[in-house]
Amino acid sequence: MIIKNKNILYNENILMITYALMSFSIGIWTNYRSLWLESRNISLDNISLILSISFICSAIVSIIISLVSSKIKIKNLIIEIILIRVISLLILRYTNNLYTLIVCVLLSIICELIYMLSSYPLLSFIDDSDEGYRKKITIEYLSNDIGIIMCGILFGFSIGNYIINYDSFLIISLISSLLSIIFFVYYNDKNILRRKDNNTLQISIKNIFSLKSNRIYLFSCFFVRVSYGLVFDFIMIILTNKLNFSLSLASIFIITSNMIGNLACIFFNKLSDKLSVKKSILLKFGIRAVFYLLAFSFNTSLSFVLCICISYITSKILDNKVTGVFIRENSNKDKFLFENIRYFIECLGEGVGAYLAGLFLNISLRILFLYASIITIIQTIILIYNTRFIKKY
């Protein structure tokens, strides 16, 4: 058992509080953002375009930050982007100007994604163990779920003459972000060392792209996120508008699906040593593709609901085999840049997925799942093919 000194324990507690507050805030705003935009009479096409542009801009900003990361004080960066997000959400609450609204939504999404990219390195400086990472993930998942279920249940609830609505969710998200800044200011980074064990940029780029498995895997990441964006970026609109769920029922459905996914994750983690990478890929993505095709074929509400539930469950399982095996191909000195390149490609893919989702939803939910199945099949084939080139396979 590792005994941590008071300074490390203090910093870790501050980070965990910050993670909890920001995950709570992001969970609320991310899940109900599209419905809030819709309540402001923004068309589905424009919502998908806003999300798409935001993800693509986030990709560009994140790669710039990663290239100059050694010159940036991460604590200051995180405080600044959370503050920009708070200001953006505050303006959103009171603006009626379409262009101001679009800019503020774009800024809030960019800040969320940059925060997620920048926040983990701080924990890795003080606790780079699996236990520390699991603690972070557990707190983030729990806080995210609490935000979703709380707002879903409170929607329409009256407090005096005030009725809780989508604007209320925005304010709750704003306050939670503001509180995270107040706590995070007390994080002490004076003794934090810079990453001195990483290769130079040129050497890392050469090492990463010299591996065929890396090139194919990064290519597959684009399709993985396109298929994700097609279904998950408009999940609340799909459930409430297309499948006629109430907001509370939709929120409960998401939380329940996530809980089942977490249980499935525990089960498959125990089996993972007995599963090859190919079988893991087929289980994670192959099953999802099959259910997408079934949803397209049956074209019923039940088939769509079951398909979405399976999507949540499979998104949780076997990441250690399907994703971890490719990441571990890289040396520790190259992993930081590799992860940033992967993040860049995934943001581009999700941006494309969000845009396509808006187009397909205007046609039919059935068409959306047809194209989601096609893209999922493509990514599955690419990943299985790539197992031929994994040295540690």
Side-chain angles (χ1 to χ4, degrees):
M1 180 178 178
I2 299 174
I3 300 176
K4 301 175 183 177
N5 65 47
K6 290 183 179 179
N7 184 54
I8 290 176
L9 192 60
Y10 172 83
N11 273 336
E12 185 175 327
N13 290 336
I14 289 293
L15 279 179
M16 294 305 165
I17 294 171
T18 304
Y19 291 149
L21 289 168
M22 277 302 293
S23 295
F24 180 81
S25 175
I26 291 172
I28 294 169
W29 183 233
T30 300
N31 280 277
Y32 300 108
R33 176 176 54 214
S34 57
L35 293 175
W36 182 88
L37 287 168
E38 196 176 46
S39 72
R40 290 298 184 99
N41 298 317
I42 307 297
S43 69
L44 190 58
D45 287 339
N46 285 331
I47 293 173
S48 67
L49 185 60
I50 291 170
L51 294 181
S52 179
I53 293 172
S54 298
F55 283 120
I56 292 171
C57 289
S58 299
I60 295 170
V61 173
S62 68
I63 202 69
I64 293 172
I65 289 175
S66 68
L67 294 177
V68 297
S69 60
S70 61
K71 300 178 182 179
I72 293 176
K73 195 172 183 180
I74 298 179
K75 178 182 176 180
N76 290 348
L77 173 66
I78 291 175
I79 291 174
E80 288 163 6
I81 60 176
I82 297 177
L83 186 59
I84 291 171
R85 182 175 181 269
V86 167
I87 295 170
S88 300
L89 294 180
L90 184 63
I91 294 172
L92 280 174
R93 174 63 182 84
Y94 296 103
T95 187
N96 290 314
N97 182 277
L98 176 62
Y99 295 105
T100 303
L101 185 149
I102 291 172
V103 169
C104 288
V105 169
L106 190 148
L107 279 174
S108 69
I109 294 174
I110 291 175
C111 289
E112 289 167 7
L113 294 172
I114 294 174
Y115 161 79
M116 288 186 282
L117 177 68
S118 306
S119 60
Y120 176 63
L122 287 181
L123 178 62
S124 65
F125 285 135
I126 58 177
D127 186 357
D128 60 354
S129 66
D130 288 341
E131 181 184 350
Y133 181 73
R134 283 195 297 269
K135 185 177 178 181
K136 171 184 181 292
I137 292 298
T138 300
I139 288 173
E140 287 181 336
Y141 281 164
L142 182 61
S143 301
N144 188 294
D145 289 349
I146 289 173
I148 296 171
I149 197 68
M150 185 192 80
C151 289
I153 292 173
L154 289 178
F155 185 77
F157 185 79
S158 297
I159 302 177
N161 295 323
Y162 185 79
I163 299 175
I164 295 177
N165 54 23
Y166 297 128
D167 284 334
S168 307
F169 297 170
L170 190 152
I171 293 297
I172 295 171
S173 179
L174 185 157
I175 293 171
S176 184
S177 290
L178 195 57
L179 287 172
S180 73
I181 295 177
I182 294 172
F183 277 98
F184 188 60
V185 164
Y186 291 98
Y187 178 84
N188 181 11
D189 64 343
K190 289 183 180 179
N191 298 320
I192 298 297
L193 300 175
R194 295 183 182 276
R195 286 180 303 274
K196 61 183 180 180
D197 59 341
N198 286 349
N199 282 326
T200 63
L201 177 65
Q202 292 83 356
I203 292 175
S204 287
I205 290 175
K206 182 179 178 181
N207 290 342
I208 288 169
F209 288 99
S210 65
L211 295 175
K212 189 170 184 178
S213 61
N214 277 346
R215 298 196 299 270
I216 297 174
Y217 175 70
L218 291 171
F219 179 65
S220 73
C221 285
F222 178 82
F223 293 97
V224 170
R225 296 309 289 190
V226 171
S227 65
Y228 180 92
L230 274 170
V231 177
F232 289 102
D233 283 340
F234 285 88
I235 192 65
M236 291 303 289
I237 285 182
I238 290 173
L239 291 173
T240 57
N241 291 8
K242 300 296 182 180
L243 297 176
N244 299 318
F245 279 38
S246 67
L247 189 69
S248 296
L249 181 59
S251 301
I252 293 169
F253 172 78
I254 290 173
I255 299 301
T256 303
S257 297
N258 275 323
M259 289 176 61
I260 297 171
N262 290 331
L263 293 173
C265 182
I266 295 171
F267 173 76
F268 279 104
N269 279 344
K270 294 179 179 178
L271 294 178
S272 61
D273 290 339
K274 300 176 182 179
L275 294 172
S276 67
V277 177
K278 287 181 180 178
K279 288 180 179 178
S280 299
I281 291 169
L282 284 172
L283 281 169
K284 186 175 182 67
F285 297 122
I287 292 174
R288 193 185 306 177
V290 169
F291 274 87
Y292 285 163
L293 284 173
L294 290 174
F296 166 74
S297 301
F298 287 102
N299 194 28
T300 62
S301 295
L302 179 60
S303 65
F304 293 136
V305 169
L306 182 59
C307 180
I308 292 170
C309 183
I310 292 296
S311 296
Y312 271 108
I313 293 170
T314 54
S315 68
K316 300 275 187 179
I317 65 172
L318 295 171
D319 269 342
N320 60 319
K321 295 294 289 266
V322 173
T323 301
V325 69
F326 296 106
I327 294 174
R328 288 191 292 272
E329 283 290 283
N330 298 275
S331 70
N332 289 333
K333 294 183 179 182
D334 300 321
K335 279 180 182 175
F336 178 76
L337 181 62
F338 179 81
E339 285 291 87
N340 279 277
I341 293 172
R342 183 168 74 99
Y343 182 84
F344 170 77
I345 293 171
E346 287 180 348
C347 279
L348 291 178
E350 191 161 350
V352 172
Y355 179 73
L356 292 175
L359 296 179
F360 295 147
L361 283 173
N362 277 326
I363 302 172
S364 72
L365 190 55
R366 185 186 188 193
I367 292 298
L368 175 75
F369 282 111
L370 171 62
Y371 281 92
S373 69
I374 293 171
I375 295 171
T376 305
I377 290 169
I378 291 172
Q379 74 189 40
T380 303
I381 293 171
I382 294 172
L383 286 169
I384 289 176
Y385 172 74
N386 198 25
T387 58
R388 299 169 57 189
F389 306 103
I390 304 175
K391 295 177 182 177
K392 300 174 184 178
Y393 178 43

